[in-house]
Amino acid sequence: MIHKHYHDFIFPVSTLIPANGHLVIAEEPVKFQLQHPGISCLGPLGFSLNNKQETLKLVGRHDDTICSFTYYDSIPWLTAADGYGRTLEFENSGNNINDPENWFTGCMGGSPGSAYSPCEDELVISEINYNSADWADAGDWVELKNTTATTLNLSGWKFSDSDIQHLYTLPSGSNILPGEFMVLYSDAQNFATTFPWVNNKSGPFTFGLSGSGEALRLYDPSGKLRFSVIYDDESPWPTEPDGQGYTLELADVGGVMCDGNNWFAGCLQGSPGGPYVYPCHTAVDETEVSEFIVFPNPANSQLFILNQSNEDEIAEIQIMDTYGRLLLEKKMNFPGKNPARLQLDLLSTGIYFLKIQTENKDIPEIHKVVISR
């Protein structure tokens, strides 16, 4: 017969927990109180909790099981509590404690001795570009946000992904003003070409961000893990940022950081170095009601424009980039029911706006066009 050995911690006599209160039991009380000064705890526990899976039981004085549950460090359980600085938090005492759906990842370092409250990280990753579209490749990048009312000096801070050997150290003089942003980029040329207006940036980091999701981490100069998030490319995480030209945008800096419902698909190509603004800013506004159909979109080397009125018309055609700069201009004839053909050979991969101005309309039509090669 095989006997499984269980580790026990026996509560001291007269241990009391106030109504709706919390009690902490620490493996090493001295280390615990260095991280959480002022929070009392019992201990030492006398054993460690397994990093892969563990069954925990609360047993009464008569050997009756009061509570028992088993956690794991793999899906469907949350992995951010396994070495990434966050904790497993139980959502509601009235729910099934063994159901991973009733657990979420808490704040950095957890909230021992008290109920969960919104996190107050001074620095967060607020936007992630992990798999650029072919037609909008600015390289991988992340946006950092200073959530405080004072300037943060990030000199010597380190950025990492799931591989702790992948480290980028921010240089001296890396500062973020109160409520402002900084972008860490992987491809200096592509990022600068796509976002020439972003000034507070640092890079390049020499590793890529996984297209199927991974952990991102920020360490302070002492080596302490100060922030982490584990993103994914599957629901409940938005799927549009996975190669479709969008980014992951953080909805609430105080929300549950590793919950996909706290992130949404941002603007096409993102909004690095600034807040998300709805509707997404472009140099040109699209027309809501259109007389013309533009296809295919995305386009490759040519674009077809069909006049839905089926009338012969001549129109002035202009193509502008997202900054409103005029790149192409010509007059085109729209022959009744047949579409007109517009060659795009001189334009590179990217997002453009097509302006159609006919003689019988005062206001031109504007269409967003994507060129993908």
Side-chain angles (χ1 to χ4, degrees):
M1 180 180 292
I2 298 176
H3 295 278
K4 185 173 181 180
H5 176 69
Y6 291 95
H7 299 287
D8 295 323
F9 173 82
I10 300 176
F11 289 85
V13 175
S14 301
T15 299
L16 300 175
I17 305 178
N20 297 316
H22 300 80
L23 176 66
V24 177
I25 309 170
E27 178 188 2
E28 298 183 55
V30 173
K31 285 186 176 181
F32 173 84
Q33 290 180 332
L34 284 174
Q35 297 297 319
H36 305 284
I39 298 177
S40 61
C41 66
L42 299 180
L45 185 59
F47 54 90
S48 300
L49 303 183
N50 194 286
N51 291 337
K52 298 298 181 182
Q53 73 173 82
E54 188 75 90
T55 297
L56 302 178
K57 289 184 177 182
L58 183 62
V59 179
R61 61 169 58 94
H62 301 297
D63 253 1
D64 51 318
T65 298
I66 299 171
C67 175
S68 174
F69 88 102
T70 302
Y71 68 83
Y72 298 83
D73 74 337
S74 56
I75 295 173
W77 286 84
L78 301 164
T79 59
D82 186 10
Y84 296 108
R86 299 189 179 273
T87 58
L88 284 177
E89 291 262 7
F90 190 44
E91 189 167 11
N92 189 317
S93 59
N95 292 330
N96 179 5
I97 197 172
N98 283 287
D99 185 351
E101 292 292 326
N102 296 328
W103 292 79
F104 64 96
T105 49
C107 302
M108 298 300 297
S111 54
S114 63
Y116 171 82
S117 61
C119 306
E120 296 181 351
D121 298 302
E122 62 180 10
L123 183 70
V124 301
I125 292 177
S126 52
E127 189 172 5
I128 305 169
N129 186 69
Y130 65 88
N131 184 18
S132 297
D134 293 339
W135 47 265
D137 188 5
D140 294 339
W141 53 267
V142 298
E143 177 189 77
L144 313 181
K145 181 177 182 180
N146 175 0
T147 68
T148 73
T150 59
T151 297
L152 291 181
N153 180 2
L154 300 186
S155 303
W157 281 59
K158 291 179 172 60
F159 168 62
S160 176
D161 62 5
S162 292
D163 187 340
I164 195 59
Q165 301 302 315
H166 293 166
L167 287 173
Y168 171 72
T169 303
L170 277 75
S172 178
S174 298
N175 297 308
I176 311 182
L177 295 175
E180 294 298 321
F181 305 85
M182 172 184 284
V183 177
L184 308 182
Y185 59 85
S186 65
D187 189 312
Q189 181 175 348
N190 280 1
F191 186 85
T193 300
T194 307
F195 305 110
W197 62 84
V198 177
N199 296 317
N200 200 18
K201 58 187 178 181
S202 184
F205 55 85
T206 57
F207 49 91
L209 307 184
S210 172
S212 57
E214 65 172 333
L216 303 179
R217 295 176 275 187
L218 295 171
Y219 295 85
D220 68 18
S222 72
K224 180 179 179 179
L225 180 59
R226 300 291 294 274
F227 181 86
S228 71
V229 61
I230 298 180
Y231 69 89
D232 204 348
D233 66 340
E234 297 181 357
S235 180
W237 288 82
T239 57
E240 296 90 341
D242 188 13
Q244 299 180 47
Y246 296 86
T247 59
L248 279 177
E249 283 270 6
L250 179 63
D252 181 4
V253 296
V256 179
M257 197 58 58
C258 295
D259 182 356
N261 295 305
N262 193 30
W263 295 77
F264 62 95
C267 300
L268 276 173
Q269 296 187 280
S271 54
Y276 171 81
V277 178
Y278 180 83
C280 293
H281 173 74
T282 60
V284 186
D285 293 327
E286 289 186 85
T287 304
E288 295 185 2
V289 180
S290 301
E291 177 183 341
F292 292 86
I293 297 176
V294 177
F295 64 95
N297 197 3
N300 188 310
S301 60
Q302 59 186 2
L303 195 66
F304 293 94
I305 306 171
L306 176 64
N307 185 356
Q308 298 186 84
S309 69
N310 296 328
E311 297 178 0
D312 290 349
E313 282 191 278
I314 296 176
E316 190 78 26
I317 300 296
Q318 294 181 338
I319 290 186
M320 296 156 287
D321 63 15
T322 54
Y323 309 112
R325 296 176 296 199
L326 181 62
L327 304 178
L328 184 150
E329 185 174 27
K330 67 180 298 184
K331 278 192 174 183
M332 295 187 68
N333 179 46
F334 294 92
K337 297 181 179 181
N338 297 315
R341 184 198 309 261
L342 180 63
Q343 291 298 128
L344 305 173
D345 300 322
L346 299 179
L347 299 177
S348 58
T349 291
I351 301 174
Y352 300 90
F353 290 91
L354 174 70
K355 178 180 177 182
I356 307 173
Q357 177 69 70
T358 59
E359 295 178 350
N360 61 358
K361 276 193 174 182
D362 294 330
I363 300 175
E365 283 191 17
I366 305 294
H367 295 261
K368 184 183 290 182
V369 175
V370 174
I371 298 178
S372 177
R373 298 195 175 101

